[in-house]
Amino acid sequence: MIIVAPALLLITATIFCLFPPRRINYWYGYRTSYSMQNQEIWDYANKTAANYFFLFSLILLFIDLILMLLINDDELGLIISLFA
């Protein structure tokens, strides 16, 4: 069950990599005041952000898989209840 969040992040990152925003907008993409200055900066910032998003999603998924193998369900439930 804990693997759902990293999997959703990975799916979102994949969509962001495959369908980057083409034009500067206020709804979709890596939006900062600097990245929205012109189209060239916008394209570079969104490409870089998508790549990092994908990379960190993979890392998080890998860490979760390792934790699932190392920690049994009872201990995992206790750990989650402590932080929830």
Side-chain angles (χ1 to χ4, degrees), residues 28-81:
Y28 175 65
Y30 178 73
R31 299 174 312 271
T32 63
S33 58
Y34 181 72
S35 69
M36 297 175 79
Q37 285 181 357
N38 64 41
Q39 190 65 40
E40 183 180 349
I41 296 172
W42 175 260
D43 293 338
Y44 175 77
N46 279 283
K47 181 180 176 183
T48 304
N51 290 337
Y52 278 118
F53 189 24
F54 187 80
L55 174 69
F56 290 127
S57 297
L58 278 177
I59 292 170
L60 185 59
L61 183 65
F62 182 70
I63 290 170
D64 277 356
L65 288 172
I66 290 173
L67 288 176
M68 285 177 59
L69 294 173
L70 295 177
I71 300 174
N72 66 30
D73 288 336
D74 294 334
E75 290 174 353
L76 186 60
L78 177 64
I79 292 170
I80 290 173
S81 66

